[in-house]
């Protein structure tokens, strides 16, 4: 009997180590998904960068050779000879290009860090193979005909534990996504406050007469709006990076058409509306509408994720209880087994 208990303890130790390895392999799979997401995002940004040519640093007080006051006057007077498209494109490039370049730099660091972390998980593949071989050898010491209850319980345990691992990682992804979404809400709320301040305090007429683009986009209340929107967009992208790692077959809210409005770009529409508001002298009405729309969407996203997160938590908790129960049942049934004849 002492030999039986020794083998049973050995099997329990092997299976606990296998469970630990399976958790690591689940993490590895999600890190691999994240690397693919980050690389795809980087490639998309590189393609987008071609659409925003480098602007002449000396043209910061005009657009395409036209002074700001001249552009504003042409818009107010509805000058048919004023072509707004190249002006808007130039304004967009001036804002978007440095933002994209800064994000690309951060992305490269993120990709490299994640890839290095991913490489550390390779050792668990070999470890799993070794443990499975040890388990097979240990089980061969018992006299098994094939219909022992412990075999069916073990199969059930493996299915339950695999699902528990998936749900545990899903829960982590949900928590990280919710953290990022909550930060995005904070940034959008701050952006809204700065828009309201700009509506009453930013001197559009003075800027049109004497200002530079850098004064508008970096050294003003408008610059603070831009900064808040940039960080809100970054956090929403980070949240999306967490959500694409989920075991999506379990969730009905991961359809691209459902998520598209929540994760649509923020900076490009901000610059487009800013151009319209500043040169059309509209008191930042369009910018305020954009910020409030996206704040509303992001708050809805937060509520959806909170509901789904709670469902995952409850399911994970139930699977954890089942996992513990089955693990103890396996131990009880193994103690009923007999050793194979020598």
């Amino acid at each position: 009997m002492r030999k039986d208990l020794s083998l049973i303890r050995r099997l329990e130790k092997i299976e606990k180590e296998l469970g630990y390895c399976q958790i690591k392999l689940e993490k590895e799979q999600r890190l691999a998904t994240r690397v693919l997401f980050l690389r795809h995002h980087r490639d998309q940004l590189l393609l987008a960068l071609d659409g925003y040519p480098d602007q002449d640093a000396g043209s910061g007080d005009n657009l395409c050779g036209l002074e700001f006051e001249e552009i504003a006057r042409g818009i107010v007077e509805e000058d048919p000879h004023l072509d707004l498209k190249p002006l808007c494109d130039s304004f967009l490039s001036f804002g978007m290009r440095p933002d994209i370049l800064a994000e690309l730099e951060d992305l490269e660091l993120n990709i490299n860090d994640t890839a290095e972390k991913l490489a550390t998980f390779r050792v668990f593949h070999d470890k799993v193979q070794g443990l499975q071989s040890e388990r097979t050898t240990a089980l061969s010491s018992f006299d098994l005909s094939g219909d022992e209850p412990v075999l069916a319980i073990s199969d059930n345990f493996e299915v339950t534990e695999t699902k528990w691992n998936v749900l545990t990682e899903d829960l982590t992804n949900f928590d990280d996504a919710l953290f990022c979404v909550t930060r995005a809400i904070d940034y959008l709320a701050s952006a809204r406050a700065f828009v309201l301040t700009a509506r009453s305090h930013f001197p559009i007429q003075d800027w049109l007469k004497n200002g530079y683009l850098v004064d508008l986009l970096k050294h003003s209340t408008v610059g603070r709006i831009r900064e808040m929107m940039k960080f809100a967009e970054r956090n929403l992208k980070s949240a999306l990076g967490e959500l694409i790692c989920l075991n999506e077959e379990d969730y009905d809210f991961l359809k691209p058409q459902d998520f598209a409005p929540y994760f649509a770009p923020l900076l490009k529409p901000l610059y487009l509306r800013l151009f319209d508001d500043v040169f059309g002298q509209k008191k930042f009405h369009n910018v305020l509408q954009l910020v409030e729309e996206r704040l509303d969407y992001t708050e809805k996203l937060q509520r959806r994720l909170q509901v789904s997160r709670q469902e995952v938590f409850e399911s994970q908790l139930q699977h954890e209880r089942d996992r513990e129960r089955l693990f103890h049942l396996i131990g009880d049934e193994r103690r009923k087994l007999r050793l194979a004849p020598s």
Side-chain angles (χ1 to χ4, degrees):
M1 190 65 181
R2 184 176 301 170
K3 189 175 180 182
D4 290 70
L5 290 175
S6 175
L7 281 171
I8 290 168
R9 291 192 189 100
R10 181 182 168 195
L11 273 169
E12 288 177 347
K13 181 180 178 182
I14 290 170
E15 285 170 347
K16 284 181 179 179
E17 289 185 24
L18 272 171
Y20 173 76
C21 289
Q22 292 299 337
I23 291 173
K24 290 295 184 181
L25 293 179
E26 183 66 34
K27 289 181 182 291
E28 179 195 40
Q29 181 179 331
R30 293 174 193 240
L31 279 176
T33 301
R34 182 167 297 137
V35 169
L36 290 175
F37 170 78
L38 293 172
R39 286 174 176 163
H40 176 73
H41 181 42
R42 177 197 58 194
D43 294 344
Q44 293 299 109
L45 284 180
L46 287 169
L47 287 174
L49 192 62
D50 294 336
Y52 303 113
D54 195 7
Q55 299 296 298
D56 182 3
S59 66
D61 60 349
N62 68 82
L63 288 173
C64 302
L66 293 179
E67 295 181 352
F68 298 151
E69 279 190 313
E70 188 177 356
I71 297 170
R73 185 166 55 252
I75 292 174
V76 171
E77 296 175 358
E78 299 182 351
D79 184 351
H81 302 294
L82 182 66
D83 187 356
L84 290 177
K85 187 178 186 312
L87 298 172
C88 187
D89 288 346
S90 179
F91 183 82
L92 195 57
S93 292
F94 192 92
M96 288 294 294
R97 187 174 180 84
D99 289 332
I100 291 176
L101 288 172
E103 187 171 1
L104 280 170
E105 187 175 340
D106 291 342
L107 268 174
E108 283 297 336
L109 292 173
N110 199 350
I111 289 170
N112 291 334
D113 288 346
T114 307
E116 287 178 9
K117 187 184 297 182
L118 180 61
T120 65
F121 285 79
R122 292 173 187 160
V123 66
F124 291 103
H125 291 273
D126 293 336
K127 191 170 183 180
V128 165
Q129 289 182 352
L131 288 168
Q132 287 175 337
S133 178
E134 284 185 46
R135 182 172 63 176
T136 300
T137 301
L139 283 172
S140 67
S141 300
F142 291 99
D143 186 10
L144 299 173
S145 62
D147 59 353
E148 286 79 8
V150 68
L151 299 178
I153 296 171
S154 294
D155 290 341
N156 194 3
F157 174 79
E158 287 187 14
V159 172
T160 301
E161 184 171 53
T162 297
K163 184 61 177 176
W164 177 79
N165 286 337
V166 169
L167 290 168
T168 299
E169 290 303 311
D170 281 350
L171 200 58
T172 299
N173 289 131
F174 268 114
D175 286 340
D176 290 344
L178 275 165
F179 175 77
C180 292
V181 168
T182 300
R183 290 191 68 185
I185 289 171
D186 292 340
Y187 282 122
L188 286 166
S190 295
R192 184 181 184 277
F194 283 120
V195 174
L196 294 175
T197 299
R199 280 169 64 87
S200 57
H201 291 87
F202 184 79
I204 290 181
Q205 291 292 343
D206 291 344
W207 180 82
L208 290 171
K209 184 176 180 180
N210 302 309
Y212 290 81
L213 288 172
V214 71
D215 296 332
L216 177 72
L217 298 180
K218 292 187 178 180
H219 308 311
S220 68
T221 306
V222 175
R224 295 294 288 154
I225 298 169
R226 166 187 167 274
E227 190 176 44
M228 295 300 104
M229 295 291 272
K230 177 179 71 175
F231 289 127
E233 184 174 276
R234 293 280 186 92
N235 274 278
L236 286 172
K237 287 176 182 176
S238 295
L240 181 59
E242 295 294 334
L243 296 175
I244 57 111
C245 293
L246 293 173
N247 189 41
E248 61 183 48
E249 64 187 30
D250 291 338
Y251 310 107
D252 60 2
F253 69 91
L254 292 176
K255 302 179 181 66
Q257 63 269 26
D258 291 339
F259 264 33
Y262 298 117
F263 297 100
L266 282 170
L267 283 176
K268 183 176 180 179
L270 171 67
Y271 288 125
L272 291 173
R273 297 198 186 199
L274 194 57
F275 178 88
D276 191 34
D277 280 350
V278 171
F279 292 102
Q281 302 173 66
K282 296 179 181 178
K283 287 282 190 179
F284 301 103
H285 171 77
N286 290 312
V287 171
L288 179 61
Q289 184 181 45
L290 170 68
V291 174
E292 289 184 334
E293 284 175 353
R294 293 308 300 273
L295 179 58
D296 182 58
Y297 265 116
T298 309
E299 288 173 341
K300 288 178 181 177
L301 173 62
Q302 183 189 48
R303 291 193 289 272
R304 288 184 69 176
L305 293 181
Q306 286 171 335
V307 170
S308 296
R309 192 263 180 204
Q310 183 61 28
E311 292 173 356
V312 171
F313 173 72
E314 292 172 1
S315 180
Q316 188 251 13
L317 198 60
Q318 183 58 52
H319 278 79
E320 185 170 354
R321 294 192 191 102
D322 292 341
R323 175 174 168 267
E324 290 294 323
R325 177 179 57 81
L326 289 169
F327 187 79
H328 290 301
L329 274 177
I330 291 171
D332 292 340
E333 290 298 324
R334 278 190 183 141
R335 284 166 174 76
K336 299 175 184 178
L337 297 177
R338 295 181 180 182
L339 292 176
S342 300

